Amino acid sequence: KAGVTQTPRYLIKTRGQQVTLSCSPISGHRSVSWYQQTPGQGLQFLFEYFSETQRNKGNFPGRFSGRQFSNSRSEMNVSTLELGDSALYLCASSLISGPQETQYFGPGTRLLVL
Amino acid sequence: AQSVSQHNHHVILSEAASLELGCNYSYGGTVNLFWYVQYPGQHLQLLLKYFSGDPLVKGIKGFEAEFIKSKFSFNLRKPSVQWSDTAEYFCAVNSGNTPLVFGKGTRLSVIA
């Protein structure tokens, strides 16, 4: 079974630009979550989508948004990029949305903002 | 809000040494607990998880963790580490419908 895939794997942007990251979950998985990983803050939850609906949202500004499509693929968008947005963005998928579901992570998209 | 503390930032062990990585969480209700590992250049992988039942949980690659509710702890153990265990280890917790909250991670370096 193919794992979670994320595209692109690496991205360089400049301040003020916007970026869209994509995540394809494991086949059959309907829940997708996004996390930001930085050396200083560690792993922080961004948002979770299940069946095209946002279920949970972390403590990030409105510049961070996401969506999920009917095929469960998800995108996240960051507008007006700041230097501090440089991070590894991880996507995780699970079969259903719930506390006892195990999340499987993708390789991440490494974003560098200059 | 829940929080997770991993006491050791960086642990250095010789091969065959025993490992114990600490993890404490703040929430007092029913929790689900996870340990993930991130090998150099690879993505996060699940090592083991606790939802309910036997508080001693066995995972992949010889790892185990014990849930001690009275201590709000979920420490990760391995009796004999190998060089290939060099990685970063993350403890995570959730409850109800809350998202996963991760600890800051513990970097393990195993030297020959």
Side-chain angles (χ1 to χ4, degrees), chain B residues 1 8-10 13 29 36 38 59 92 105:
Chain B
N8 310 104
H9 180 64
H10 188 193
L13 293 174
Y36 283 87
Q38 191 170 34

Side-chain angles (χ1 to χ4, degrees), chain B residues 27-78:
Chain B
Y27 184 65
T30 301
V31 292
N32 306 294
L33 297 153
F34 305 80
W35 275 99
Y36 283 87
V37 60
Q38 191 170 34
Y39 297 104
Q42 296 188 29
H43 55 277
L44 276 171
Q45 300 172 41
L46 180 72
L47 266 182
L48 48 78
K49 59 190 177 186
Y50 171 81
F51 292 150
S52 62
D54 189 344
L56 185 61
V57 180
K58 295 197 183 295
I60 61 170
K61 304 187 181 188
F63 286 91
E64 65 178 32
E66 185 175 12
F67 170 50
I68 303 179
K69 190 173 182 179
S70 60
K71 295 185 178 180
F72 298 88
S73 71
F74 190 57
N75 292 354
L76 181 71
R77 300 194 294 247
K78 185 171 184 179

Side-chain angles (χ1 to χ4, degrees), chain A:
Chain A
K1 193 188 248 190
V4 178
T5 57
Q6 293 186 244
T7 56
R9 292 292 310 279
Y10 303 93
L11 206 48
I12 300 175
K13 292 284 188 179
T14 56
R15 277 182 300 174
Q17 287 187 308
Q18 75 164 22
V19 66
T20 299
L21 311 181
S22 180
C23 171
S24 293
I26 292 170
S27 178
H29 284 195
R30 294 168 63 190
S31 173
V32 173
S33 299
W34 288 89
Y35 296 83
Q36 182 196 65
Q37 186 178 22
T38 60
Q41 299 298 318
L43 278 154
Q44 296 184 90
F45 171 75
L46 279 156
F47 23 67
E48 180 200 4
Y49 288 88
F50 179 76
S51 293
E52 302 177 68
T53 301
Q54 188 179 86
R55 284 290 188 94
N56 274 303
K57 190 176 191 307
N59 190 24
F60 278 81
R63 300 185 296 107
F64 291 81
S65 63
R67 59 179 176 168
Q68 186 180 34
F69 302 96
S70 58
N71 62 359
S72 293
R73 190 177 71 84
S74 177
E75 287 182 348
M76 67 162 279
N77 184 276
V78 188
S79 61
T80 320
L81 284 166
E82 300 177 359
L83 295 179
D85 297 333
S86 294
L88 180 67
Y89 290 88
L90 295 172
C91 168
S93 79
S94 58
L95 189 58
I96 62 173
S97 175
Q100 296 203 352
E101 268 298 303
T102 301
Q103 292 186 359
Y104 297 89
F105 284 81
T109 293
R110 189 166 295 281
L111 171 65
L112 177 61
V113 182
L114 301 175

